[in-house]
Amino acid sequence: MSVLGAVADVVALGCLLAGAFLCLTAGLGLVRFPDVLSRMHAGTKPQVLGVLLVMVGGAIRLQPLPATWMLLLVAAFQLLTAPVSAHMISRVAYRRRHVRRDLLLVDELREAEGRDSVYRGDEPADAPPEDPAGALVESRREDRWKGNGQN
């Protein structure tokens, strides 16, 4: 075994171990974080980088070209699907109010979604309004306005 082969094996081992560690931290983040958005962050950022490092380590260790192309294809699908699916899941969780909004520093979607005074998305029918007293007052105001024939 040449020196170049030994260096390649050490680099591959380093990539595999770093990728496995990042995948482990992603799993721990899914268990430990308090809300959906934090869990989505933990499930995508280190997971994608961990899988990419594992793929690089495997490509370095497996020298035949077909295996390298297969690993490259897996890495491309990982890069395309994980962030998009996390984005879609987090948008649905936000609309269904499964997000702890007190943990958000900036809430850009709150200003953008002003369609209804009480319910603002596709949340379940039994989801309580964010401000129950204010929603009740607004609902009564709308009922009075509609009751006067001012549609």
Side-chain angles (χ1 to χ4, degrees), residues 84-147:
V84 173
S85 63
H87 175 76
M88 297 306 293
I89 290 170
S90 62
R91 285 293 292 246
V92 168
Y94 182 87
R95 288 184 179 149
R96 291 186 173 246
R97 296 189 185 152
H98 294 294
V99 174
R100 290 187 49 193
R101 295 184 184 194
D102 60 327
L103 295 177
L104 296 177
L105 297 177
V106 177
D107 192 0
E108 294 173 352
L109 290 177
R110 186 177 191 103
E111 292 93 23
E113 294 180 355
R115 293 184 295 275
D116 189 10
S117 63
V118 178
Y119 295 105
R120 289 184 173 79
D122 57 350
E123 64 265 348
D126 60 346
E130 293 175 5
D131 179 22
L136 182 62
V137 169
E138 185 67 30
S139 176
R140 287 182 180 164
R141 185 179 304 132
E142 287 177 1
D143 288 344
R144 261 188 267 131
W145 187 69
K146 288 178 184 175

Side-chain angles (χ1 to χ4, degrees), residues 9-33:
D9 285 344
V10 169
V11 170
L13 179 66
C15 288
L16 289 170
L17 289 176
F21 177 73
L22 284 172
C23 291
L24 177 68
T25 58
L28 291 175
L30 288 175
V31 174
R32 295 281 300 162
F33 285 152

Side-chain angles (χ1 to χ4, degrees), residues 19 21-23 25-27 40-52:
F21 177 73
L22 284 172
C23 291
T25 58
M40 295 279 52
H41 179 78
T44 55
K45 301 276 183 181
Q47 176 67 27
V48 169
L49 183 59
V51 168
L52 289 178

